[in-house]
């Protein structure tokens, strides 16, 4: 066997061994991928730069220049009880299937992840960053906090204020009298009829929007 | 973690220099593999020479191993890589047209550039034809929009098609490559009596 043939054989053996080892090793899970990415993105969570106030989400919901996508990552039972207008029920495992859509989003798009509190939405945000790194945010305090602010006492047993003092545990703490989904008044409150709420604006668009005025 | 923002790291000029260096390396490898000679390329289709099969398939396997080992070790974010979406029917039609053009002209677009860069006249004419074809296509694609967007499957890759782990697919492709190298070498010896 000449030198070239020996080199070819060695090359083939290296390729086969490396590919066999890769087959045994496997590819990282979403959790492992997040661990790899964490040094770059964890500070956004730690510094709470991606947690937006309910008032900011409400402002986004009423902004026609922004393509807002709200992913509700709770279970179907809680979703049926109450959800925000135009939000989409998505499980953590089905987020991967939305990758094409996330990648195709324009620069004026904003994704907001909501859950009852923040824990599940934070997990979903991490998953989104692993999948497609969209311009994504988390509803601060979750829907419980949203309902603390925008909830209507008549919709709930004992008035909606009851949930405000309870510790976040990932459950819906507002005891609705009826499962009306997005037909509750709090699903899309009219911000013009609410007291002005001060908040720190955290949503940054990837591209500045040219807002037309007047008759446009 | 890769992929890196080259323009962010080196500035716009630096990024262009990096692209130039990568392009130079790519062209150098193609030329030194004999891809600037249409006779060597066309000989692949008659199984007289296996340069194209060996170089391209080796490049595919090496690239797959580098990409997916890097991903497995957390050095590369695979989701940050652009994977061309699949449009099945236009993809098949385009593959057939390109294959026929490759056999007739002796080049694909990339190798015709390599050939033209080494001042080969056939490569220059092929490149001219390529540009005329590209202009013709650009001016007429609006008439075949429906077909042009047909068979959309998104980022559809072999692991999804086969329903197996990515690493297993890489192993199968490596086996396929080595199997094809051996088979076509054997065929070349049997049909043409080529020893080398």
């Amino acid at each position: 066997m000449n030198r070239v043939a020996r080199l070819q054989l060695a090359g083939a053996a290296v390729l086969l061994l490396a590919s066999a080892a890769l087959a045994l090793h496997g590819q990282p899970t979403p959790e492992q991928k997040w661990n790899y990415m964490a040094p770059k993105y964890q500070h956004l969570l730690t510094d709470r730069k991606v947690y937006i106030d309910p008032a900011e989400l409400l402002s986004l919901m009423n902004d026609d220049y922004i393509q807002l996508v709200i992913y509700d990552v709770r279970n179907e039972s809680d979703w049926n009880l109450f959800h925000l207008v135009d939000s989409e029920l998505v499980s953590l495992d089905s987020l991967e299937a939305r990758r094409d859509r996330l990648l195709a989003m324009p620069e004026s798009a904003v994704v907001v992840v909501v859950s009852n509190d923040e824990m599940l939405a934070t997990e979903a945000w991490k998953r989104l960053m692993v999948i497609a790194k969209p311009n994504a945010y988390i509803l601060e305090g979750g829907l419980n906090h949203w309902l603390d602010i925008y909830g209507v006492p008549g919709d709930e047993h004992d008035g909606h204020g009851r949930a405000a003092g309870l510790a976040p545990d990932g459950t819906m703490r507002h005891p609705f009298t009826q499962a009306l989904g997005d037909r509750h008044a709090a699903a899309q409150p009219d911000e013009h009829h609410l007291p002005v709420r001060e908040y720190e604006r955290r949503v940054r668009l990837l591209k500045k929007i040219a807002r037309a005025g007047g008759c446009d | 973690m890769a992929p890196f923002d080259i323009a962010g790291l080196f500035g716009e000029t630096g990024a262009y220099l990096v692209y130039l260096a990568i392009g130079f390396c790519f062209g150098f490898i193609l030329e030194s593999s004999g891809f600037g000679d249409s006779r060597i390329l066309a000989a692949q289709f008659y199984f007289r020479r296996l340069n194209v099969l060996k170089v391209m398939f080796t490049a595919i396997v090496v690239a797959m191993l580098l990409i997916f080992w890097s991903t497995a070790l957390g050095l590369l974010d695979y989701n940050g890589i652009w994977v061309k979406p699949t449009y099945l029917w236009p993809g098949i039609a385009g593959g057939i047209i390109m294959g026929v053009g490759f056999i007739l002209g002796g080049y694909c677009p990339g190798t015709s550039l390599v050939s033209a860069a080494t001042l080969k006249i056939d490569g220059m004419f092929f490149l001219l034809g390529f540009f005329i074809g590209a202009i013709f296509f650009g001016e007429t694609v609006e008439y075949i929009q429906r077909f042009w967007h047909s068979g959309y499957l998104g980022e559809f890759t072999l692991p999804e098609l086969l329903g197996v782990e990515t690493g297993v697919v890489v192993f199968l492709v490596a086996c396929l490559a080595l199997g094809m190298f051996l088979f076509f070498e054997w065929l070349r010896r049997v049909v043409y009596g080529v020893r080398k």
Side-chain angles (χ1 to χ4, degrees), chain A residues 32-46:
Chain A
Q32 287 170 320
K33 283 182 186 174
W34 168 255
N35 289 336
Y36 293 140
M37 292 168 64
K40 194 173 177 184
Y41 295 101
Q42 180 65 44
H43 73 97
L44 296 173
L45 296 172
T46 311

Side-chain angles (χ1 to χ4, degrees), chain A residues 82-124:
Chain A
F82 170 80
H83 61 261
L84 299 174
V85 163
D86 293 334
S87 60
E88 301 170 35
L89 179 65
V90 187
S91 66
L92 284 188
D93 292 333
S94 66
L95 282 171
E96 177 79 41
R98 297 178 184 245
R99 181 173 143 77
D100 279 359
R101 182 187 173 200
L102 291 165
L103 291 175
M105 281 180 176
E107 288 170 317
S108 62
V110 173
V111 178
V112 179
V113 195
V114 302
S115 60
N116 284 329
D117 292 308
E118 291 178 355
M119 292 84 85
L120 197 57
T122 302
E123 285 307 307

Side-chain angles (χ1 to χ4, degrees), chain A residues 127-176:
Chain A
R127 197 70 70 91
L128 284 175
M129 298 314 282
V130 165
I131 294 166
K133 300 188 195 70
N135 190 19
Y137 298 87
I138 300 161
L139 176 61
E140 194 170 61
L143 289 171
N144 279 310
H145 185 41
W146 174 277
L147 288 164
D148 290 343
I149 298 164
Y150 300 121
V152 178
D155 282 355
E156 300 172 28
H157 293 295
D158 306 327
H160 78 276
R162 198 185 75 159
L166 300 174
D169 60 356
T171 61
M172 171 51 73
R173 293 186 301 282
H174 288 264
F176 284 100

Side-chain angles (χ1 to χ4, degrees), chain A residues 40-91:
Chain A
K40 194 173 177 184
Y41 295 101
Q42 180 65 44
H43 73 97
L44 296 173
L45 296 172
T46 311
D47 300 340
R48 297 192 66 79
K49 287 181 180 169
V50 290
Y51 291 91
I52 62 169
D53 190 89
E56 186 163 19
L57 176 56
L58 183 59
S59 160
L60 294 173
M61 288 166 77
N62 290 305
D63 190 334
D64 293 336
Y65 289 92
I66 291 174
Q67 184 182 323
L68 176 65
V69 175
I70 304 173
Y71 285 150
D72 191 325
V73 292
R74 298 173 300 155
N75 60 45
E76 195 167 352
S77 166
D78 286 348
W79 161 268
N80 289 335
L81 207 57
F82 170 80
H83 61 261
L84 299 174
V85 163
D86 293 334
S87 60
E88 301 170 35
L89 179 65
V90 187
S91 66

Side-chain angles (χ1 to χ4, degrees), chain A residues 16 18 27 36 99 130-131 133, chain B residues 68-69 72 77 79 155 178:
Chain A
L16 266 184
Q27 292 294 291
Y36 293 140
R99 181 173 143 77
V130 165
I131 294 166
K133 300 188 195 70
Chain B
F68 292 110
W69 260 120
D77 175 15
N79 286 331
E155 288 182 5
L178 294 175

Side-chain angles (χ1 to χ4, degrees), chain B residues 80-134:
Chain B
I81 299 176
W82 168 251
V83 178
K84 202 168 164 50
T86 300
Y87 292 89
L88 189 61
W89 307 121
I92 290 172
I96 291 170
I97 292 168
M98 184 172 156
V100 170
F102 202 157
I103 297 172
L104 291 176
Y107 293 111
C108 68
T111 52
S112 70
L113 276 168
V114 173
S115 175
T118 50
L119 304 179
K120 289 193 177 67
I121 294 170
D122 59 345
M124 292 179 191
F125 271 91
F126 191 96
L127 200 57
L128 182 68
F130 167 71
F131 280 121
I132 292 170

Side-chain angles (χ1 to χ4, degrees), chain B:
Chain B
M1 189 182 210
F4 301 111
D5 176 10
I6 302 293
L9 284 172
F10 303 113
E12 198 174 335
T13 309
Y16 282 124
L17 289 175
V18 171
Y19 306 148
L20 186 70
I22 293 171
F24 175 82
C25 293
F26 185 59
F28 181 82
I29 295 294
L30 287 182
E31 168 59 23
S32 57
S33 303
F35 284 16
D37 187 334
S38 61
R39 290 163 299 185
I40 294 176
L41 296 170
Q44 173 63 60
F45 293 97
Y46 305 99
F47 305 115
R48 286 180 185 275
R49 299 191 69 152
L50 301 175
N51 297 45
V52 176
L53 180 79
K54 286 181 176 174
V55 172
M56 298 311 284
F57 225 151
T58 304
I60 289 168
V61 174
V62 170
M64 283 178 90
L65 282 168
L66 286 175
I67 287 172
F68 292 110
W69 260 120
S70 302
T71 306
L73 297 174
L75 302 172
L76 169 71
D77 175 15
Y78 177 72
N79 286 331
I81 299 176
W82 168 251
V83 178
K84 202 168 164 50
T86 300
Y87 292 89
L88 189 61
W89 307 121
I92 290 172
I96 291 170
I97 292 168
M98 184 172 156
V100 170
F102 202 157
I103 297 172
L104 291 176
Y107 293 111
C108 68
T111 52
S112 70
L113 276 168
V114 173
S115 175
T118 50
L119 304 179
K120 289 193 177 67
I121 294 170
D122 59 345
M124 292 179 191
F125 271 91
F126 191 96
L127 200 57
L128 182 68
F130 167 71
F131 280 121
I132 292 170
I135 292 168
F136 176 75
F137 174 77
E139 293 298 320
T140 56
V141 68
E142 64 182 289
Y143 302 114
I144 55 165
Q145 280 295 321
R146 196 169 165 188
F147 173 71
W148 182 236
H149 292 108
S150 62
Y152 178 73
L153 298 173
E155 288 182 5
F156 192 68
T157 54
L158 283 175
E160 291 160 52
L161 177 69
L162 302 174
V164 293
E165 282 282 315
T166 304
V168 176
V169 171
V170 174
F171 178 68
L172 291 175
V173 172
C175 291
L176 181 70
L178 294 175
M180 283 177 74
F181 295 167
L182 292 172
F183 173 74
F184 285 113
E185 280 292 352
W186 170 81
L187 196 71
R188 211 162 64 109
R189 277 201 299 273
V190 170
V191 176
Y192 297 111
V194 180
R195 287 282 162 206
K196 196 175 168 187

